[in-house]
Amino acid sequence: MRKAIRLCILFFVIFLFACNTVPITGRQQLNLLPSQTMLSMSLTQYDQFLKENQLSRDPARTQMVKQVGARIQKAVEQYFADQGMSDELADYAWEFNLVESDEINAWCMPGGKVVVYTGILPLTQDENGLAVVMGHEIAHAVAQHGNERMSQGLLAQMGGVALSVALETRPETTRQLWMAAYGLGAQYGLVLPYSRLHENEADQLGLIFMAMAGYDPRAAVGFWQRMAAKKGGQSPPEFLSTHPSDKNRIKNIQSLIPEAMIYYNKSG
Ligand SMILES: [Zn+2]
């Protein structure tokens, strides 16, 4: 009995210190992993990824990815500065890369390491479409969805084991959860779809960031319609298995566009 009370107090304390507020939506989230841990895991995985994958040799398309990324970065930094939250981006060292791969995928790690796969470019079609994808992925990162997903996974798998113990004694489990949380888990059979809550949040934030950067948020509807049309294939693309796309999602995006248009019209 006493042990149960102690555990409750422990969880309450963890909750107090691990609670974080998502920008724009104001939602409270539980992030158990120290951001330094998230950043160092990101850098390790990112370096490993760049060693194993080929950067695009197409200078025009590489330049497009870097330019769209840099404009969205500026918008995100502006937004966080306006909210007095610049501290949260202090350790970010943004990078935007285009990688040669038929895979339909893109991601952004905590710390601002963004990778777009050439396989998604036929679906993004132009800079506005690319800004939809990059804005959405950057939104997942700055809203710390990965930390939240890992925290949920760790709680589910480790129960009452202290996090520091988990990180030290179960590095493989932690690493696999990390891969799954960032959509890199396919080869480990651990692909987790983002929850609807995280998807809606990333759509909302992503549309605002792209609009602030001067990209037309209305492009999101066409992009997600093209993604939905891809669903029919035998093996759904990586991006689709982590980002389920359906009528509800597109409807939700349509309802978010008027708010984003206010930022878009101001950006001109
Ligand atoms: Zn997403």
Side-chain angles (χ1 to χ4, degrees):
M1 188 59 201
R2 229 184 254 159
K3 201 179 160 203
I5 294 171
R6 273 212 306 267
L7 258 181
C8 278
I9 293 172
L10 177 70
F11 276 113
F12 182 70
V13 170
I14 288 175
F15 195 77
L16 271 187
F17 286 97
C19 240
N20 198 63
T21 307
V22 177
I24 299 181
T25 65
R27 181 175 64 85
Q28 293 288 308
Q29 64 184 171
L30 179 66
N31 290 336
L32 294 175
L33 287 108
S35 58
Q36 279 312 319
T37 307
M38 296 302 288
L39 284 174
S40 70
M41 288 180 93
S42 287
L43 287 180
T44 308
Q45 298 295 345
Y46 178 70
D47 289 344
Q48 185 69 22
F49 179 88
L50 287 187
K51 266 183 218 145
E52 290 168 1
N53 291 273
Q54 177 75 53
L55 290 178
S56 167
R57 291 200 194 88
D58 181 331
R61 297 203 297 176
T62 299
Q63 187 49 36
M64 175 176 73
V65 166
K66 290 190 188 295
Q67 185 186 312
V68 171
R71 277 171 61 176
I72 295 175
Q73 171 195 344
K74 228 179 112 200
V76 170
E77 287 172 343
Q78 182 65 55
Y79 191 91
F80 274 66
D82 291 346
Q83 303 297 312
M85 292 169 76
S86 292
D87 282 3
E88 291 201 13
L89 301 177
D91 292 321
Y92 270 59
W94 298 89
E95 269 181 50
F96 310 97
N97 284 304
L98 179 63
V99 161
E100 198 62 55
S101 167
D102 292 338
E103 221 178 280
I104 298 173
N105 207 2
W107 40 257
C108 173
M109 288 181 181
K113 308 300 189 195
V114 181
V115 165
V116 175
Y117 296 58
T118 49
I120 205 168
L121 296 182
L123 286 150
T124 55
Q125 290 185 350
D126 57 17
E127 283 189 33
N128 287 320
L130 182 60
V132 172
V133 169
M134 293 180 82
H136 180 94
E137 291 306 315
I138 288 169
H140 275 308
V142 299
Q144 302 191 55
H145 288 162
N147 197 332
E148 205 177 0
R149 277 148 70 81
M150 275 195 74
S151 302
Q152 288 159 357
L154 283 168
L155 280 179
Q157 291 207 6
M158 315 258 180
V161 180
L163 184 69
S164 54
V165 176
L167 288 172
E168 269 171 40
T169 59
R170 306 274 296 275
E172 188 54 22
T173 310
T174 315
R175 197 179 67 86
Q176 288 188 358
L177 278 170
W178 197 95
M179 304 288 276
Y182 288 97
L184 288 169
Q187 64 256 59
Y188 302 96
L190 260 173
V191 174
L192 301 174
Y194 278 101
S195 68
R196 185 162 292 269
L197 178 72
H198 283 173
E199 280 311 296
N200 289 347
E201 213 163 67
D203 283 335
Q204 186 182 356
L205 271 62
L207 288 176
I208 289 174
F209 295 150
M210 76 177 282
M212 285 176 75
Y215 297 107
D216 189 339
R218 288 168 292 193
V221 175
F223 169 75
W224 286 106
Q225 280 169 343
R226 292 191 291 278
M227 282 304 290
K230 273 269 155 195
K231 219 178 190 168
Q234 334 160 310
S235 57
E238 178 77 10
F239 192 79
L240 251 187
S241 54
T242 52
H243 294 80
S245 177
D246 55 28
K247 275 197 191 116
N248 284 334
R249 164 175 221 139
I250 291 164
K251 226 160 107 188
N252 181 52
I253 287 174
Q254 276 163 333
S255 77
L256 293 169
I257 284 178
E259 187 196 6
M261 285 304 286
I262 297 169
Y263 290 89
Y264 180 58
N265 291 329
K266 271 193 270 183
S267 76

